[in-house]
Amino acid sequence: MTPTSGPTPAADGFTIPTALTKLTGVRHPIVQTGMGWVAGPRLVSAAANAGALGILASATMTLDQLRSAVREVKARTDQPFGVNLRADAGDARERVKVIVEEGVKVASFALAPSRELIAELKDAGAVVIPSIGARRHAEKVAAWGADAVIVQGGEGGGHTGEVATSVLLPQVVDAVDIPVVGAGGFRDGRGLVAALAYGAAGIAMGTRFLLTSDSTVPDAVKAKYLAASVKDVTVTTAVDGLPHRMLRTELVDSLEGVGRTRALAQAVRRAAGFRRLSGLSWPQLVRDGLAMKHGKDLTWGQVLLAANTPMLLKASMVEGRTDLGVMASGQVAGLIDDLPSCAELVDRVMAEARHTLGTLPTPG
């Protein structure tokens, strides 16, 4: 497969240079987030070719699968892209070694990576961009040498906090002197302009990129997202004991109603399935569980539930079984009603941003 020679330009060549585009080398200040089972080589390369920063999700991959996926992205595009890693994974250092050896431009992290991992990546020439959900976490990783941060407000899909993006984003921008990318609730050019007005260097979108024709999520599952209203997107702790934003379904209702003992039994079975799928040993899963508990008031039951979450996501995102799986979703799903390609989406966002900037009132 021959890599595409360059990003798809916006219809009129319009772009907005920011600290994010300068740091990563992408054309547009837009990030496609690393969603487990969703952000694979096809979506990431399509986002990169469209001029955005595509992020490959690696948490559900073995080390060999990660290396293979990185090479597939490189075969599909010659544009910069990143890999998302779990900072608390027992094999995080081995995964860092893979992306360094493969020459990946950006290392994205869920949770805060250690000072040592940041230094190792930067010494190898990689750009380090952790995803955070609180100002104090942004301040910590900035002090440790992170190059930028993605800050997700409560509107975002998956694990989320309580503070809205409109409050959290300017708070973080004021607290750190590195580029800040806003996430949670973004889908169009108006959102991009709003984020830039807050002082952000760009926006990151998950659900909006999930709902593209380049996404490998089954069509029947995409249809569920498109049919959802804003009120159909809920936050529950029933899946893994932590706040998780997803589409409201009968399965979510049943998880919320199931007893503690039955929930634990189900979690053990799914954790065993994830262990086989990921190639992790039981000791590695235990170490990951200890890392998850660090600094958090989690029971071992909650840790087991967290280990089963990837299997519930896989059932929907890969197998199309929405009756057996969950669908992580940002609130913005309730406003999305089409499935453009990544190129069409990025082109549209930039055209809308240009129009929005042109219609803002000017000082009299």
Side-chain angles (χ1 to χ4, degrees):
M1 186 180 299
T2 302
T4 301
S5 60
T8 302
D12 56 3
F14 176 73
T15 188
I16 304 175
T18 71
L20 174 68
T21 61
K22 180 179 180 181
L23 178 67
T24 62
V26 297
R27 180 176 175 80
H28 300 300
I30 299 171
V31 178
Q32 164 256 303
T33 60
M35 301 164 280
W37 305 115
V38 177
R42 192 172 90 179
L43 180 62
V44 172
S45 58
N49 284 329
L53 178 63
I55 302 290
L56 186 70
S58 77
T60 55
M61 300 177 183
T62 66
L63 290 172
D64 287 342
Q65 288 170 340
L66 171 57
R67 192 182 296 275
S68 176
V70 167
R71 291 179 177 178
E72 183 177 345
V73 175
K74 290 166 72 174
R76 291 172 174 264
T77 183
D78 59 4
Q79 299 303 300
F81 67 95
V83 170
N84 182 258
L85 309 167
R86 264 187 53 200
D88 60 352
D91 61 353
R93 190 168 295 279
E94 287 82 359
R95 291 174 182 270
V96 165
K97 182 179 179 182
V98 169
I99 67 175
V100 167
E101 290 175 349
E102 295 297 327
V104 174
K105 174 72 174 182
V106 175
S108 165
F109 282 91
L111 306 179
S114 67
R115 188 194 302 266
E116 291 73 25
L117 279 183
I118 292 175
E120 185 175 338
L121 283 159
K122 293 189 67 171
D123 287 346
V127 173
V128 181
I129 309 180
S131 296
I132 56 91
R135 182 182 66 182
R136 67 182 184 277
H137 298 150
E139 292 172 332
K140 177 170 69 175
V141 296
W144 288 354
D147 297 291
V149 290
I150 296 174
V151 52
Q152 179 179 302
E155 300 93 323
H159 292 111
T160 189
E162 298 177 351
V163 182
T165 304
S166 59
V167 175
L168 183 60
L169 179 55
Q171 185 184 45
V172 174
V173 167
D174 291 344
V176 299
D177 59 0
I178 58 176
V180 177
V181 178
F186 296 108
R187 69 183 177 96
D188 59 14
R190 294 175 299 176
L192 173 56
V193 172
L196 296 176
Y198 276 125
I203 57 172
M205 302 187 296
T207 305
R208 178 64 276 196
F209 274 104
L210 183 157
L211 294 174
T212 61
S213 60
D214 294 305
S215 162
T216 58
V217 172
D219 289 342
V221 178
K222 291 178 183 177
K224 295 276 189 181
Y225 280 94
L226 294 178
S229 70
V230 172
K231 291 184 178 180
D232 293 324
V233 185
T234 187
V235 175
T236 181
T237 59
V239 173
D240 57 13
L242 299 170
H244 202 125
R245 187 176 290 284
M246 60 187 61
L247 294 188
R248 166 73 64 184
T249 63
E250 290 184 6
L251 175 62
V252 172
D253 289 340
S254 69
L255 288 172
E256 290 180 337
V258 76
R260 184 180 182 85
T261 301
R262 185 178 169 194
L264 277 176
Q266 292 175 349
V268 169
R269 287 197 300 272
R270 293 194 181 101
F274 179 59
R275 182 191 69 81
R276 291 190 296 271
L277 191 70
S278 64
L280 295 174
S281 65
W282 280 112
Q284 286 174 312
L285 273 183
V286 171
R287 285 196 298 272
D288 284 2
L290 288 170
M292 291 176 67
K293 283 173 66 68
H294 180 68
K296 302 184 184 72
D297 187 23
L298 298 180
T299 66
W300 275 108
Q302 288 172 321
V303 170
L304 277 173
L305 286 167
N308 106 71
T309 302
M311 304 305 291
L312 288 172
L313 288 168
K314 180 175 183 285
S316 289
M317 300 298 111
V318 177
E319 298 163 5
R321 294 296 304 272
T322 57
D323 57 327
L324 299 177
V326 298
M327 292 172 280
S329 177
Q331 280 185 311
V332 76
L335 302 177
I336 297 172
D337 59 7
D338 64 349
L339 299 171
S341 68
C342 286
E344 291 167 339
L345 173 61
V346 172
D347 192 63
R348 181 196 302 174
V349 169
M350 296 310 299
E352 290 169 344
R354 181 176 188 178
H355 174 74
T356 300
L357 288 169
T359 57
L360 290 176
T362 56

